[in-house]
């Protein structure tokens, strides 16, 4: 079977975080079409922060695209020259004022591949504690944050109270792969 061919590609719009790309492509049927997608300038990171008692940090972020608050885990973008773990550590400090000395990689994911080139690196930060030296990012749209018992987080997942994709995947990867190994 023939493969997709990119005939031309142009950057329609770019910000510090994203690019909007428009490709002219030839698909296997031989038809040409325009394919527009979002590309992240740098990969993203997301962190499941767990305190010493096993409670999981969730924070309520305002998302303008949906015009509502969502329960999420700390996440953000890698800065130029930053590795995924370094970015995850920085984001946890900036968003939640926390640190951890015990990090576990939960793996990479790709979000919305039909409309975007959006790569995320997922981590768990175990035994998270207050970072007295953190420089909180005051521009973050976080209205509330709390360490919630695992049972409450599982209930929120079951009741579809957490719709944001990298939060869902991170929590399930932590709860279904890392957490069972710790209790075995």
């Amino acid at each position: 079977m023939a493969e997709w061919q990119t005939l031309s590609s142009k950057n329609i719009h770019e910000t510090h975080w994203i690019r909007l790309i428009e490709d002219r492509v030839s698909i296997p049927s031989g038809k040409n079409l325009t394919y527009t997608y979002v590309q992240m300038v740098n990969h993203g990171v997301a962190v499941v922060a767990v305190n010493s008692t096993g409670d999981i940090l969730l924070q309520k972020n305002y998302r303008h695209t949906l015009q509502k608050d969502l329960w999420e885990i700390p996440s953000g973008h890698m800065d130029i020259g930053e590795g995924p773990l370094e970015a995850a550590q920085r984001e946890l400090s900036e968003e939640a004022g926390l640190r951890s000395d015990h990090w576990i990689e939960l793996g990479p994911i790709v979000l919305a591949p039909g409309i975007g080139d959006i790569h995320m690196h997922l981590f768990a930060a175990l035994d998270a504690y207050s970072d007295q030296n953190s420089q909180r990012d005051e521009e973050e749209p976080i209205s509330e944050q709390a360490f919630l018992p695992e049972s409450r987080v599982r209930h929120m997942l079951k009741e579809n109270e957490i719709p944001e994709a990298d939060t869902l995947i991170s929590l399930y990867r932590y709860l279904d792969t890392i957490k069972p190994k710790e209790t075995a």
Side-chain angles (χ1 to χ4, degrees):
M1 182 150 129
E3 294 186 19
W4 286 46
Q5 282 190 310
T6 302
L7 306 172
S8 66
S9 183
K10 66 179 176 179
N11 185 345
I12 297 173
H13 182 73
E14 185 169 342
T15 72
H16 181 70
W17 297 280
I18 65 165
R19 293 181 191 102
L20 185 59
I21 307 290
E22 182 178 275
D23 286 354
R24 191 81 179 127
V25 297
S26 176
I27 61 175
S29 68
K31 183 177 179 181
N32 292 345
L33 54 91
T34 300
Y35 202 95
T36 306
Y37 60 97
V38 174
Q39 182 182 67
M40 299 302 294
V41 171
N42 295 308
H43 287 196
V45 296
V47 181
V48 177
V50 182
N51 67 14
S52 62
T53 62
D55 296 338
I56 298 168
L57 178 73
L58 289 180
Q59 51 194 29
K60 201 172 261 194
N61 285 337
Y62 177 75
R63 296 302 179 193
H64 180 70
T65 52
L66 302 176
Q67 297 192 0
K68 65 186 205 177
D69 290 310
L70 298 178
W71 282 108
E72 300 176 0
I73 59 175
S75 64
H77 300 91
M78 293 169 48
D79 288 340
I80 294 173
E82 220 176 20
L85 178 57
E86 184 181 5
Q89 292 168 334
R90 178 184 47 75
E91 286 293 339
L92 184 61
S93 179
E94 285 178 359
E95 288 192 16
L98 298 173
R99 293 181 57 113
S100 172
D101 298 323
H102 186 187
W103 289 82
I104 298 173
E105 187 174 352
L106 300 175
I109 60 171
V110 178
L111 300 174
I115 61 165
D117 178 5
I118 305 167
H119 295 261
M120 298 286 294
H121 300 270
L122 312 179
F123 292 90
L126 305 182
D127 298 322
Y129 58 91
S130 180
D131 180 3
Q132 302 302 324
N133 298 318
S134 73
Q135 295 187 3
R136 303 285 296 263
D137 185 348
E138 299 301 323
E139 293 182 13
E140 291 286 347
I142 299 167
S143 61
E144 184 178 343
Q145 72 178 26
F147 276 100
L148 302 176
E150 179 184 326
S151 60
R152 174 68 180 124
V153 173
R154 286 185 182 277
H155 176 79
M156 293 171 77
L157 290 167
K158 182 180 176 190
E159 296 299 319
N160 299 313
E161 295 175 32
I162 302 174
E164 197 268 328
D166 57 287
T167 295
L168 278 170
I169 296 166
S170 298
L171 288 171
Y172 278 122
R173 282 199 179 161
Y174 170 73
L175 293 169
D176 292 342
T177 61
I178 303 303
K179 184 68 174 166
K181 289 179 184 177
E182 292 182 340
T183 57

